[in-house]
Amino acid sequence: FPYTCDVEPVASPKATRDDARDVGEVDRSSIVAVREELESLVGTTIGDKYRLERLLGFGGMGAVYAAENTFTKQDVALKVLL
């Protein structure tokens, strides 16, 4: 999909990947289960307007999908709050 973003990502100077490891081990099977559940929504239509085409990413607040507006056929990114 031809998504563009004019904002440069900014990394936090205080946090590093090693800091994240210090928080504790993540139960990877839980992450896999969440991803599978979110991916199961691909192909569904939200509000009779947006068809979810693929999962782009997810986090603590929600999931972002590549979607298509079924009326205009325009490609969009759709964030679904959890």
Side-chain angles (χ1 to χ4, degrees):
F1 290 103
Y3 298 111
T4 60
C5 180
D6 295 331
V7 178
E8 289 292 322
V10 177
S12 170
K14 295 179 182 178
T16 66
R17 220 176 256 281
D18 290 331
D19 293 335
R21 286 189 196 107
D22 291 339
V23 172
E25 285 296 314
V26 175
D27 180 6
R28 297 201 188 282
S29 62
S30 297
I31 294 172
V32 170
V34 169
R35 176 180 290 280
E36 288 173 353
E37 184 175 347
L38 294 172
E39 285 178 340
S40 73
L41 295 175
V42 171
T44 62
T45 302
I46 305 291
D48 294 326
K49 187 173 182 180
Y50 298 103
R51 186 176 58 250
L52 304 181
E53 297 189 341
R54 68 184 172 112
L55 178 65
L56 297 176
F58 65 96
M61 292 289 295
V64 179
Y65 292 88
E68 180 185 57
N69 182 314
T70 58
F71 296 110
T72 65
K73 305 300 182 199
Q74 182 179 19
D75 293 331
V76 298
L78 185 70
K79 184 170 191 175
V80 178
L81 299 178
L82 302 175

